[in-house]
C-alpha cells in the first residue's frame, strides 16, 4: 500500500509540472537563445535541426540561383560568394551560397528549369574532392546513383537542371582540376545542361584569378540569354549589417574576442575537435633545427593527451593562425578604425541564407586579428569594388585602373605580393579610407584558414605528441620595400621564442597576441586539429619503402623512419627503408642530422640515407639526381619486391622531376619504351604504390 501511495505522489507531481509548463510556456526555466549556440558551439552542432533539402531552402527564401562550393582553403568559397554578389547586383538574380556538405542531392532531378545551380569546385591532393565535397562527389560518381524519382543515366533524370561549373586546380599535380571535370561529365551524363564552358583556374601557373575573371564574363552572357536576364549598373548591396554596440564593452562575457565558438567563449572547450572546433593544445617542446642565423626551421611537439585527438603516421596537423599585430594595426589604421578597434560590433546576415563567417558580438580588432585573411592575395575584382569608396577622385581613378587593367594590376599589386591594406596605402597613404563599409571587407576577404603540416612523428612511438617541422617562410620581392612573411610560421616562431624565455617576442618585427583571447592560450598553447591523410606506410613493415623528401619535405618520413626503427627494436622484420634527403649544406640545414644515426643503429642495414647537398660543389645536385644514381636498386625494389614509393615536398619542380626520372629509370632498367614506363608509373599511382604529399 505504501508503494501505491508513493506512485500516486509521483504521478501527481508529474501532472503538476506538466500543467505549469503548459500555462507558463516554460517561462520559469527558459534561457535566452544564443544565436551562435548552434553554428559555433562545436564542430557537429552546426548541422543540427537544419533542413538538408536545397529546393525547400531555395523556395522558402525565394532564390533562383544557388552557388555550391567545394573548398579546402577558402578560395572556392570566396569565388562562390563573388559569383553570388555579382549575379545579384549585375543581373538581379536571387542568389544564395551553399556548402556542399550541408545538403542532400537525391532531389536534383526535381530542380526547376527556371532556376540555375552553380558549382565551384576545388580539387584537393591527388585528384580528390575537398573534405566538404566528399559526400556529393561520391553520390554523383557512384555506380548506382539513385535520384528521388528513379531513372537511369539513359533516362536523363537531370534534364531540367541548368548548371554552371568552375574548377580550381594546380597543373603541377597529375590530376589537374579532376574534380570539376568529373562532376561536369557526370551531370551531363544524367542529362543536365551546362551553361558556358566548364572553367578551370590554375594555381600552379599563378593565373587562378585571371582564369576566373576571363571565364565568368562569357558565362554571364550565355546565362543571361538562357534565363532572360538583363544587366544593370552594379552597385554595392551589403550581405551583412555591421552594428556598433553602445550597450556592450569588450570586457562583457558574451563578447567574442577571438574565441572560435561558444564553448571556447565560456571556457568549456570540448570535442570532437575538427575544422570547425580547434583544440587549444600545449606546446610541450620547441627548438630550432637550422644552424644558420638568417633562416629558421622549427621543430615543435604538440601535446594532445586528454583531448581524444588521434592521428596516424602520415596524417596532417592543422594550426589555426593569428594575424600579426603589425598587419592588424595597418589594416585598422588605413580604414580609420584604430580608435574603434575595441568597439563591440554585431554582424548579421541581411538574407536568411547569408552565413556570418565568425561569431558575434565581437570587436573590430578581434574580427581582423583572428578571423579575416588580411595578409592574403588581393583580387582585381575586389579592388574594383572598393573604388566607389575612395577618399577622393584621384584615388578612385587609380583603384578603377587597378581593377580594370590586368597588366597594371600585375605590376603594382600581384608581383609585389601586396595585401589589401598595403594596396590602399600604395594608392593614398595620407588619407583614411573610412568610407569603406566594414561589411564589404568581411565579404571580400576570406575567412582565415588553418594551415596544414605533415606530421613528423610516429603515432606508434608517440601517440599523444604530434611533431611539426616548419620552415619559417618569407618572400623577398625585388625592388619592394617590404618582405612578405608567412603568417603561421612566424606565429609559431613567436611561440617558440616565448617558450625559450623571450617575454615579448617579435620575430622579424612582427608581434602576435600569443596569449590568445582573454589569455586562454597562455602557457604556450596553439589551436590545432588533425586531418587524416591517405599518405600511409604499408601495413606490412617487411615491405620495402623508398622516400624522397628534400628540405621540410622530410617531415612525414621522420615519422615513417621513427616507426620502422621502433618496430625493428621490438623484433619485427622491417624491409629495406631508403630515404633521399636534400638541402643546401650539411652544416646549415641538414634536418634531424643526429637522429638519422640513431635510427640507423636501430634499423641496421635495412636503412639507407642518401643525401644531396646542393651547394657543396660547383654543380648543384638534388635528390632527383641521386635517385638516378641508384637506378638499378630502385628498379629492383619496385619490380621484384613491390616497394612503396613516396614523395613529399615541392610539387612544381622537385616532385615533377622525380616522377620523370622514375619513368626514365624504369624505361632504361627494364628495356621498355618510355610510354610503357609512364603507364607503369601511372598504375603505381592508381594502386597506391606511388604516393605524394606535395604542395606548390
Amino acid at each position: 500500500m505504501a508503494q501505491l501511495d508513493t506512485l500516486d505522489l509521483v504521478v501527481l507531481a508529474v501532472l503538476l509540472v506538466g500543467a505549469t509548463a503548459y500555462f507558463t510556456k516554460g517561462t520559469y526555466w527558459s534561457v535566452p537563445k544564443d544565436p551562435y549556440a548552434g553554428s559555433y558551439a562545436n564542430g557537429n552542432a552546426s548541422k543540427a535541426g537544419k533542413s538538408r533539402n536545397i529546393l525547400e531552402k531555395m523556395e522558402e527564401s525565394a532564390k533562383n540561383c544557388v552557388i555550391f562550393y567545394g573548398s579546402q582553403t577558402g578560395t572556392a568559397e570566396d569565388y562562390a560568394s563573388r559569383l553570388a554578389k555579382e549575379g545579384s547586383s549585375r543581373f538581379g538574380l536571387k542568389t544564395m551560397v551553399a556548402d556542399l556538405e550541408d545538403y542532400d542531392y537525391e532531389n536534383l532531378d526535381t530542380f526547376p528549369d527556371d532556376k540555375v545551380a552553380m558549382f565551384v569546385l576545388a580539387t584537393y591532393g591527388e585528384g580528390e574532392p575537398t573534405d566538404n565535397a566528399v559526400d556529393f562527389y561520391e553520390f554523383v560518381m557512384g555506380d548506382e546513383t539513385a535520384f528521388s524519382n528513379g531513372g537511369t543515366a539513359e533516362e536523363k533524370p537531370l534534364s531540367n537542371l541548368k548548371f554552371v561549373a568552375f574548377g580550381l586546380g594546380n597543373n603541377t599535380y597529375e590530376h589537374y582540376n579532376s574534380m570539376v571535370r568529373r562532376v561536369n561529365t557526370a551531370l551531363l551524363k544524367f542529362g543536365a545542361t551546362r551553361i558556358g564552358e566548364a572553367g578551370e583556374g590554375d594555381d600552379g601557373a599563378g593565373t587562378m584569378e585571371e582564369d576566373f575573371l576571363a571565364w565568368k564574363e562569357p558565362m554571364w552572357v550565355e546565362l543571361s540569354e538562357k534565363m532572360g536576364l538583363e544587366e544593370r549598373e552594379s552597385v554595392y548591396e551589403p550581405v551583412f549589417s555591421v552594428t556598433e554596440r553602445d550597450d556592450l564593452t569588450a570586457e562583457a562575457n558574451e563578447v567574442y574576442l577571438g574565441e572560435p565558438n561558444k564553448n571556447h567563449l565560456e571556457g568549456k572547450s570540448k570535442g570532437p575537435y575538427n575544422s570547425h572546433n580547434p583544440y587549444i593544445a600545449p606546446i610541450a617542446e620547441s627548438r630550432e633545427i637550422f644552424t644558420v642565423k638568417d633562416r629558421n626551421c622549427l621543430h615543435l611537439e604538440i601535446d594532445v593527451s586528454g583531448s581524444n585527438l588521434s592521428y596516424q603516421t602520415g596524417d596532417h596537423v592543422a594550426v589555426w593562425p593569428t594575424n600579426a599585430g603589425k598587419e592588424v594595426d595597418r589594416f585598422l589604421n588605413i580604414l580609420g578604425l584604430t580608435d574603434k578597434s575595441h568597439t563591440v560590433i554585431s554582424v548579421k546576415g541581411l538574407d536568411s541564407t547569408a552565413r556570418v563567417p565568425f561569431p558575434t558580438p565581437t570587436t573590430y580588432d578581434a574580427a581582423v586579428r583572428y578571423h579575416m585573411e588580411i595578409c592574403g592575395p588581393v583580387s582585381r575584382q575586389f579592388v574594383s569594388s572598393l573604388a566607389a569608396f575612395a577618399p577622393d577622385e584621384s584615388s578612385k581613378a587609380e583603384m578603377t585602373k587597378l581593377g580594370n587593367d590586368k597588366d597594371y594590376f600585375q605590376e603594382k599589386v600581384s608581383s609585389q605580393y601586396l595585401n589589401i591594406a598595403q594596396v590602399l596605402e600604395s594608392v593614398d597613404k595620407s588619407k583614411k579610407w573610412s568610407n569603406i563599409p566594414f561589411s564589404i571587407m568581411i565579404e571580400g576577404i576570406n575567412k582565415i584558414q588553418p594551415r596544414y603540416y605533415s606530421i613528423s612523428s610516429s603515432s606508434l612511438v608517440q601517440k599523444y605528441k604530434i611533431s611539426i617541422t616548419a620552415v619559417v617562410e618569407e618572400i623577398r620581392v625585388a625592388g619592394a620595400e617590404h618582405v612578405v612573411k608567412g603568417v603561421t610560421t612566424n606565429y609559431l616562431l613567436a611561440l617558440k621564442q616565448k617558450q625559450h624565455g623571450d617575454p615579448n617576442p617579435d620575430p622579424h618585427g612582427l608581434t602576435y597576441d600569443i596569449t590568445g583571447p582573454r589569455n586562454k592560450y597562455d602557457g604556450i598553447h596553439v589551436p590545432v586539429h588533425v586531418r587524416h591523410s591517405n599518405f600511409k606506410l604499408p601495413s606490412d613493415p617487411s615491405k620495402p619503402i623508398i622516400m624522397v623528401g628534400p628540405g621540410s619535405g622530410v617531415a612525414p618520413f621522420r615519422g615513417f623512419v621513427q616507426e620502422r626503427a621502433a618496430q625493428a627494436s621490438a623484433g619485427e622484420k622491417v624491409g629495406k627503408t631508403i630515404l633521399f634527403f636534400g638541402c643546401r649544406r650539411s652544416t646549415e640545414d641538414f634536418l634531424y642530422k643526429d637522429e638519422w644515426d640513431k635510427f640507423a643503429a636501430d634499423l641496421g642495414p635495412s636503412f639507407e640515407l642518401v643525401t644531396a647537398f646542393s651547394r657543396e660543389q660547383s654543380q648543384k645536385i638534388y635528390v632527383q639526381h641521386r635517385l638516378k644514381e641508384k637506378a638499378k636498386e630502385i628498379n629492383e625494389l619496385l619490380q621484384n619486391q613491390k616497394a612503396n614509393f613516396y614523395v613529399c615536398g615541392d610539387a612544381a619542380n622537385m616532385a615533377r622531376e622525380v616522377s620523370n626520372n622514375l619513368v626514365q629509370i624504369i624505361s632504361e632498367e627494364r628495356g621498355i619504351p618510355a610510354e610503357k614506363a609512364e603507364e607503369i608509373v601511372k598504375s603505381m599511382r592508381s594502386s597506391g604504390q606511388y604516393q605524394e604529399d606535395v604542395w606548390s
Side-chain angles (χ1 to χ4, degrees):
M1 191 66 179
Q3 184 178 10
L4 181 59
D5 291 341
T6 302
L7 182 59
D8 288 342
L9 288 171
V10 170
V11 172
L12 284 170
V14 171
L15 289 172
L16 180 61
V17 170
T20 305
Y22 178 79
F23 289 112
T24 66
K25 309 301 184 190
T27 302
Y28 294 132
W29 52 81
S30 66
V31 293
K33 178 175 172 59
D34 182 339
Y36 291 99
S39 298
Y40 292 97
N42 59 50
N44 289 338
S46 61
K47 309 296 187 294
K50 180 177 176 181
S51 171
R52 295 185 59 81
N53 185 327
I54 185 60
L55 298 182
E56 186 179 277
K57 184 68 174 177
M58 293 179 74
E59 194 65 35
E60 69 184 26
S61 55
K63 304 300 183 186
N64 60 0
C65 174
V66 57
I67 303 98
F68 294 107
Y69 64 86
S71 187
Q72 197 71 33
T73 64
T75 307
E77 182 178 1
D78 175 54
Y79 282 1
S81 297
R82 287 163 61 181
L83 287 173
K85 285 177 64 67
E86 189 171 359
S88 173
S89 61
R90 278 182 66 185
F91 300 99
L93 282 167
K94 304 300 182 185
T95 59
M96 65 173 285
V97 176
D99 186 331
L100 276 169
E101 70 178 352
D102 285 352
Y103 297 95
D104 298 322
Y105 300 93
E106 288 83 356
N107 64 348
L108 281 180
D109 59 340
T110 63
F111 202 90
D113 62 3
D114 62 344
K115 302 184 191 302
V116 64
M118 299 187 180
F119 296 90
V120 183
L121 305 170
T123 298
Y124 170 62
E126 293 303 305
E128 302 155 29
T130 57
D131 291 347
N132 74 314
V134 170
D135 289 345
F136 166 73
Y137 178 76
E138 291 178 349
F139 174 76
V140 297
M141 298 300 297
D143 294 333
E144 299 179 0
T145 300
F147 293 101
S148 59
N149 293 324
T152 62
E154 290 72 24
E155 295 170 302
K156 307 300 180 188
L158 299 186
S159 57
N160 277 352
L161 176 66
K162 296 186 184 74
F163 77 97
V164 167
F166 183 79
L168 295 81
N170 187 314
N171 71 11
T172 61
Y173 291 77
E174 180 186 3
H175 302 285
Y176 171 62
N177 259 313
S178 63
M179 182 66 177
V180 74
R181 293 179 181 181
R182 291 169 183 169
V183 168
N184 173 62
T185 300
L187 294 177
L188 293 175
K189 180 184 73 172
F190 288 117
T193 301
R194 190 186 67 240
I195 295 174
E197 295 298 316
E200 295 184 354
D202 186 2
D203 191 44
T207 58
M208 180 75 76
E209 176 68 17
E210 294 303 328
D211 293 338
F212 174 72
L213 296 178
W215 161 81
K216 71 180 180 64
E217 288 308 318
M219 180 277 293
W220 285 127
V221 171
E222 188 170 332
L223 183 63
S224 297
E225 293 173 357
K226 289 287 196 327
M227 295 189 68
L229 306 175
E230 289 187 12
E231 186 171 359
R232 59 191 187 183
E233 184 179 355
S234 180
V235 293
Y236 173 60
E237 298 173 350
V239 175
F240 304 112
S241 68
V242 179
T243 306
E244 295 182 357
R245 299 284 299 272
D246 296 332
D247 59 322
L248 288 173
T249 66
E251 291 73 33
N253 290 335
E254 65 263 42
V255 175
Y256 290 82
L257 297 182
E259 295 91 348
N261 55 48
K262 192 170 189 292
N263 285 335
H264 283 271
L265 177 68
E266 296 177 346
K268 298 184 293 189
S269 169
K270 61 182 181 180
Y273 297 107
N274 51 35
S275 58
H276 303 286
N277 184 42
Y279 173 61
I280 311 303
I283 298 178
E285 176 192 335
S286 59
R287 68 179 190 269
E288 173 65 54
I289 47 178
F290 277 174
T291 57
V292 288
K293 292 183 178 180
D294 60 336
R295 293 190 298 143
N296 299 94
C297 184
L298 306 175
H299 176 88
L300 306 172
E301 295 283 344
I302 310 297
D303 188 347
V304 295
S305 56
S307 67
N308 283 328
L309 271 178
S310 64
Y311 78 99
Q312 297 296 317
T313 309
D315 282 347
H316 300 134
V317 62
V319 174
W320 292 46
T322 297
N323 282 313
K326 178 180 178 180
E327 294 304 329
V328 173
D329 293 344
R330 184 201 305 274
F331 184 90
L332 293 172
N333 178 62
I334 197 67
L335 294 182
L337 292 172
T338 300
D339 293 340
K340 290 184 172 183
S341 60
H342 298 295
T343 296
V344 177
I345 57 173
S346 283
V347 183
K348 294 182 180 178
L350 294 174
D351 182 279
S352 61
T353 64
R355 297 202 307 186
V356 180
F358 46 79
T360 74
T362 185
T363 65
Y364 288 113
D365 181 275
V368 173
R369 189 178 301 275
Y370 291 100
H371 298 295
M372 297 169 66
E373 194 78 80
I374 59 170
C375 294
V378 181
S379 74
R380 258 198 313 130
Q381 192 173 10
F382 186 44
V383 168
S384 182
S385 72
L386 297 180
F389 306 104
D392 53 44
E393 287 302 315
S394 63
S395 297
K396 181 178 180 180
E398 178 68 4
M399 292 289 280
T400 302
K401 183 178 181 181
L402 286 169
N404 293 338
D405 189 327
K406 170 182 166 183
D407 295 332
Y408 189 62
F409 184 82
Q410 171 64 25
E411 175 193 347
K412 296 292 186 179
V413 178
S414 297
S415 67
Q416 301 298 301
Y417 296 91
L418 299 184
N419 61 43
I420 188 60
Q422 289 171 326
V423 171
L424 299 180
E425 286 182 341
S426 71
V427 173
D428 192 340
K429 192 176 184 179
S430 67
K431 296 185 179 71
K432 303 302 180 192
W433 292 65
S434 52
N435 293 333
I436 296 177
F438 196 66
S439 57
I440 201 173
M441 288 303 198
I442 298 173
E443 297 158 22
I445 296 174
N446 288 356
K447 180 177 172 60
I448 199 165
Q449 296 292 319
R451 271 51 167 189
Y452 293 94
Y453 298 91
S454 302
I455 293 175
S456 54
S457 54
S458 160
S459 57
L460 177 69
V461 176
Q462 46 186 80
K463 184 177 180 180
Y464 300 116
K465 281 188 180 177
I466 292 175
S467 298
I468 295 177
T469 306
V471 173
V472 179
E473 298 172 359
E474 69 172 30
I475 301 172
R476 295 188 176 273
V477 184
E481 296 178 0
H482 66 287
V483 178
V484 182
K485 301 293 185 181
V487 172
T488 310
T489 51
N490 280 280
Y491 170 50
L492 293 175
L493 178 57
L495 286 165
K496 178 254 180 186
Q497 291 175 347
K498 178 73 179 293
Q499 189 166 49
H500 287 258
D502 187 340
N504 299 296
D506 61 340
H508 304 120
L510 303 176
T511 57
Y512 289 86
D513 190 3
I514 58 178
T515 60
R518 294 183 170 90
N519 293 320
K520 289 174 180 174
Y521 302 175
D522 203 10
I524 321 298
H525 287 70
V526 64
V528 300
H529 72 269
V530 170
R531 183 176 68 190
H532 297 293
S533 163
N534 294 322
F535 195 74
K536 291 286 179 280
L537 279 165
S539 56
D540 179 2
S542 67
K543 188 174 185 178
I545 60 172
I546 302 161
M547 301 163 286
V548 183
S552 60
V554 80
F557 303 136
R558 176 182 181 266
F560 282 18
V561 177
Q562 185 184 55
E563 183 152 317
R564 288 206 151 192
Q567 289 169 328
S569 296
E572 293 188 57
K573 181 183 178 183
V574 174
K576 186 69 177 181
T577 302
I578 303 180
L579 171 62
F580 290 85
F581 171 76
C583 62
R584 294 181 182 180
R585 301 180 188 278
S586 58
T587 55
E588 293 181 1
D589 49 2
F590 189 173
L591 300 185
Y592 303 112
K593 180 178 181 180
D594 297 334
E595 290 189 19
W596 303 124
D597 292 337
K598 179 183 179 303
F599 293 144
D602 293 335
L603 285 163
S606 65
F607 178 65
E608 183 178 356
L609 176 64
V610 182
T611 56
F613 303 118
S614 61
R615 301 189 183 184
E616 290 194 352
Q617 57 283 312
S618 57
Q619 187 173 0
K620 291 184 178 179
I621 295 177
Y622 298 109
V623 286
Q624 50 267 40
H625 303 133
R626 295 298 193 206
L627 197 67
K628 291 187 74 173
E629 293 172 6
K630 294 275 187 178
K632 188 175 184 64
E633 183 180 6
I634 296 299
N635 180 64
E636 195 278 329
L637 287 170
L638 292 173
Q639 186 174 27
N640 299 326
Q641 299 185 47
K642 305 302 178 187
N644 275 14
F645 191 88
Y646 302 91
V647 182
C648 182
D650 165 47
N653 300 302
M654 181 276 298
R656 181 173 285 182
E657 289 187 30
V658 166
S659 180
N660 291 340
N661 283 4
L662 187 61
V663 167
Q664 189 176 344
I665 287 169
I666 290 173
S667 172
E668 293 175 356
E669 292 297 318
R670 301 183 192 181
I672 58 176
E675 294 77 13
K676 177 63 175 174
E678 284 180 6
E679 288 300 316
I680 290 172
V681 171
K682 186 173 289 187
S683 176
M684 287 170 60
R685 291 179 186 271
S686 299
S687 67
Q689 187 183 1
Y690 189 137
Q691 298 180 33
E692 290 182 312
D693 182 0
V694 294
W695 56 85
S696 60

